[in-house]
Amino acid sequence: MMISIDTGTTVDAFTTEVVRSTAVAITRKMKTNLMRTAYSSVIYEAEDFTVGLFDTDGNTISIGLGLPMFIRGLSDAIKAKIAHWGKENIAPGDILLTNDGYVMGSHLNHMIFTLPIFHDGEIVAFSASMAHWPDVGGVLGGITRDIYAEGLQLPFVKIFKAGRQDPELTAIICANCRLPDRAMGDFRAQIAAIRTGERRVSRLLERYGAQAFTESIRLIFDQSERLARAAVRTIPDGVYEAESFMDDDGVDIGKPVPIKVRVEKKGDEMTIDLTEVSAQVRGFYNSGTTTGYSCAQVAYKCLTSPTDYPINEGSFRPLKVILAPGTVVSAVKPAAMRWWMTFPMTVVDTVFKAMEQAIPDRTIAAHHADLCVALINGISPKDGRLFLAGIGPSGGGFGAKLTEDGMSATVCLNDGDTHNHPVEQMEAKYPLLFERHALREDSGGAGRYRGGLGTEQVVQARAPININVQVDRVHCAPWGLAGGRSGAGNQVCLRIGGKEIADLPNAKVLMKRLAPGDAISLRAGGGGGFGPPEERDPEKVAHDVRQGYVSRDIAREIYRVALDAAGNVDRKGTELLRRE
């Protein structure tokens, strides 16, 4: 799509489109280079990171597609760094680093490196990367009650000063990591990624100059804003509200954590009010204000202009977000934040739930809304060294939509493009045996369109290991919309000494020791259905039964479809069931 150029601009539409496309290409290259050089599988396999380019004030030009909830973390961190140092105190060759959870909104494992890009002595952009380091110190397992137990906290520091790496700060980082060699490998990979961004942007500046680059970015922002406002105008004016809840915070077991959202749409602007989301909790499921904004931005982007790229500052100008300090998505120090990513997914789900009243064709039933990860640690029988790893993230079911079934075995909304670890790699590196990895029959919520199916992983310990599981949404099952049924909730089961343990009060199993032969089952939930189940095409129900997605009992009792012995639709029997 060509840009409509404002009167008096100094840049033509062709140049602006080149800058737009190049910005997207640069962030893709940054992402590829980080994946190829990282040491930790959570980065190069799971892709738990993001990269981006930002203008001279820290506004997002283009962010690498991947984790939706990172949509604001980098930008806010860069703006905070600019405010801390001032542009006049940032020199060529400086690399700015922080992992402040209350600035970026997430846990201390996220290291954010930022490199200023200079042209003719002036800062014209920033290149940045945020990636998950598996360990930054702190306690290994259990529930943390404050940020101080969660590891090394780095305030705003210059890890490189005028091109030279600071050896003392580097030594402090290494001293606080249990696996410093891996940490330094990821460190260098992030540096490589942001230097890639710097080189590519510098070439663009040499070709077109800083003025044309800056003006192009302004026009891209303006066009994204116009497209977003046009999309917002198609939503009926009104106030839309919805509620849900989380199972508990891991400390007050069985005490639900309320989630309530309010969306007001008027003209070409939308306001998402999250002030009635639960107050911050004692467990480690809190996140900072940046994540509260990200919750609103992810939901808003999906509902308005999901395919307008690059994702940039202009897209969000029609959105206003209201937060109160001290909630689970706007926590204040010293709230614990290690498992920050879980509650925000349900906040986004709840915004979709509210908007079904206004735009059912653009919303979606609830999904399993959890990473469904088991963190493991132990001593490797191969070399006697400590290992840290994670099983998952497990794919679950996404909710159905007005016109199509939900996706099955898909990683949760918060982590978007994150991948699970290949079974073969996990078995080769760690003392684990994957007994089963399969879809869960009947886990998708019934409906005119069926929710996606969750998965089950059964993993056996081949040597003594410690496990930590922090899964939620067991009791708050993924709801359906417009008469659709709920999907199955998430579930965790253990096999200890040959005995199955399935009656856990929730899915939070902390610092449990597994002996060889013991196993853990991670069962990701399904998505909610959309529309009444008895309106589903009988042939689709029969196909689901043949594929093992839906059992014969559910086909008959919920979908009201009769099948013959061969699994084909019994027309007369189905007509009778549905008449009843």
Side-chain angles (χ1 to χ4, degrees):
M1 181 183 295
M2 297 298 289
I3 294 286
S4 174
I5 303 298
D6 295 344
T7 303
T9 187
T10 59
V11 64
D12 59 74
F14 179 82
T15 300
T16 302
E17 287 303 308
V18 170
V19 171
R20 178 205 297 277
S21 299
T22 304
V24 174
I26 291 171
T27 48
R28 286 176 180 162
K29 188 64 176 177
M30 292 168 67
K31 180 177 179 178
T32 300
N33 283 358
L34 179 50
M35 288 173 60
R36 287 177 172 173
T37 55
Y39 276 39
S40 297
S41 61
V42 71
I43 298 177
Y44 65 75
E45 288 287 359
E47 299 186 27
D48 190 350
F49 70 91
T50 196
V51 294
L53 298 175
F54 304 82
D55 72 9
T56 184
D57 296 317
N59 298 311
T60 303
I61 296 172
S62 176
I63 192 167
L65 299 181
L67 281 73
M69 211 57 69
F70 283 4
I71 200 168
R72 180 138 177 166
L74 277 175
S75 177
D76 278 6
I78 293 167
K79 290 175 181 178
K81 290 172 180 178
I82 294 171
H84 176 77
W85 276 292
K87 294 178 188 176
E88 67 278 7
N89 296 313
I90 300 174
D94 288 351
I95 296 182
L96 319 176
L97 171 63
T98 189
N99 72 337
D100 188 324
Y102 305 97
V103 169
M104 61 185 172
S106 58
H107 55 193
L108 301 177
N109 301 74
H110 287 154
M111 292 289 181
I112 299 182
F113 292 82
T114 304
L115 175 63
I117 301 173
F118 282 80
H119 185 74
D120 292 336
E122 298 291 332
I123 296 175
V124 294
F126 291 91
S127 175
S129 166
M130 176 163 64
H132 180 114
W133 289 16
D135 177 63
V136 288
V139 298
L140 264 183
I143 285 280
T144 51
R145 303 292 188 92
D146 61 41
I147 196 74
Y148 302 105
E150 296 183 345
L152 172 67
Q153 296 183 67
L154 284 171
F156 299 116
V157 298
K158 291 186 178 183
I159 192 65
F160 280 72
K161 298 171 183 174
R164 296 191 62 183
Q165 186 172 342
D166 188 307
E168 282 130 354
L169 284 174
T170 304
I172 289 171
I173 294 170
C174 288
N176 281 274
C177 296
R178 293 176 177 87
L179 302 173
D181 290 346
R182 184 189 296 185
M184 287 299 101
D186 296 336
F187 177 109
R188 291 189 293 272
Q190 288 190 257
I191 298 298
I194 60 177
R195 290 200 189 284
T196 298
E198 178 193 32
R199 286 195 303 272
R200 296 299 178 92
V201 171
S202 294
R203 291 176 192 170
L204 200 61
L205 292 167
E206 289 168 5
R207 181 177 181 183
Y208 293 109
Q211 183 176 353
F213 175 81
T214 302
E215 184 70 3
S216 294
I217 297 305
R218 183 186 70 79
L219 293 171
I220 292 166
F221 286 178
D222 288 348
Q223 188 203 32
S224 293
E225 178 184 1
R226 287 195 296 272
L227 291 172
R229 289 190 183 279
V232 172
R233 280 194 292 270
T234 66
I235 300 172
D237 285 356
V239 175
Y240 309 99
E241 298 180 325
E243 298 181 52
S244 62
F245 66 92
M246 308 305 299
D247 295 343
D248 58 52
D249 70 347
V251 176
D252 297 315
I253 306 300
K255 180 182 178 182
V257 180
I259 304 292
K260 184 175 181 180
V261 304
R262 181 179 185 274
V263 181
E264 182 175 357
K265 188 273 174 176
K266 186 176 181 180
D268 62 359
E269 296 188 343
M270 179 185 291
T271 300
I272 297 180
D273 186 344
L274 303 179
T275 55
E276 293 192 61
V277 170
S278 167
Q280 63 190 56
V281 293
R282 294 199 293 161
F284 55 20
Y285 291 91
N286 303 290
S287 55
T289 300
T290 290
T291 297
Y293 283 110
S294 292
C295 290
Q297 288 186 337
V298 169
Y300 161 85
K301 181 69 175 171
C302 290
L303 294 168
T304 56
S305 53
T307 57
D308 176 28
Y309 300 129
I311 296 172
N312 63 66
E313 186 73 18
S315 302
F316 302 106
R317 288 174 179 168
L319 174 66
K320 179 182 179 182
V321 183
I322 304 176
L323 293 168
T327 74
V328 290
V329 291
S330 58
V332 297
K333 205 166 187 175
M337 301 172 70
R338 176 169 281 178
W339 221 247
W340 71 281
M341 72 292 289
T342 299
F343 286 13
M345 294 182 240
T346 297
V347 173
V348 176
D349 259 0
T350 310
V351 173
F352 292 154
K353 183 180 182 181
M355 296 309 294
E356 190 267 334
Q357 307 165 42
I359 44 173
D361 59 321
R362 276 186 259 170
T363 190
I364 187 171
H367 77 310
H368 65 292
D370 201 288
L371 282 171
C372 296
V373 164
L375 298 181
I376 61 172
N377 66 77
I379 303 300
S380 172
K382 291 182 178 180
D383 56 17
R385 300 177 64 183
L386 171 73
F387 68 85
L388 304 172
I391 301 167
S394 302
F398 266 53
K401 294 187 278 190
L402 180 67
T403 58
E404 62 185 273
D405 292 344
M407 295 181 293
S408 299
T410 302
V411 174
C412 57
L413 177 70
N414 183 84
D415 279 48
D417 213 19
T418 302
H419 302 168
N420 58 18
H421 296 78
V423 167
E424 296 81 3
Q425 182 195 80
M426 294 294 291
E427 291 181 336
K429 288 186 174 182
Y430 308 111
L432 302 172
L433 174 66
F434 283 71
E435 298 179 359
R436 177 178 172 82
H437 192 181
L439 294 173
R440 292 177 67 190
E441 186 180 60
D442 291 335
S443 58
R448 183 189 310 116
Y449 288 95
R450 173 183 49 73
L453 273 65
T455 61
E456 179 184 35
Q457 289 191 80
V458 181
V459 185
Q460 179 190 143
R462 304 300 300 274
I465 63 172
N466 301 308
I467 63 167
N468 281 276
V469 185
Q470 300 92 355
V471 173
D472 205 274
R473 290 291 292 273
V474 175
H475 304 296
C476 179
W479 55 82
L481 294 178
R485 301 289 187 96
S486 295
N490 301 310
Q491 187 181 26
V492 172
C493 299
L494 300 173
R495 189 179 73 221
I496 307 293
K499 181 183 178 181
E500 294 287 338
I501 303 172
D503 58 348
L504 301 172
N506 55 21
K508 300 173 176 70
V509 181
L510 304 170
M511 282 307 288
K512 184 70 175 178
R513 184 79 163 175
L514 297 187
D518 292 344
I520 180 170
S521 296
L522 295 171
R523 297 172 183 166
F530 204 114
E534 61 273 17
E535 295 181 6
R536 185 167 177 80
D537 182 346
E539 291 296 339
K540 289 184 177 180
V541 177
H543 174 268
D544 287 347
V545 172
R546 288 193 294 270
Q547 295 298 318
Y549 302 158
V550 174
S551 66
R552 279 177 169 266
D553 288 345
I554 294 298
R556 184 177 184 86
E557 296 168 12
I558 305 300
Y559 287 103
R560 314 299 288 170
V561 172
L563 303 174
D564 62 21
N568 299 313
V569 177
D570 176 347
R571 297 287 175 188
K572 290 185 178 179
T574 298
E575 186 178 333
L576 180 61
L577 283 172
R578 291 192 167 182
R579 256 203 324 263
E580 291 174 354

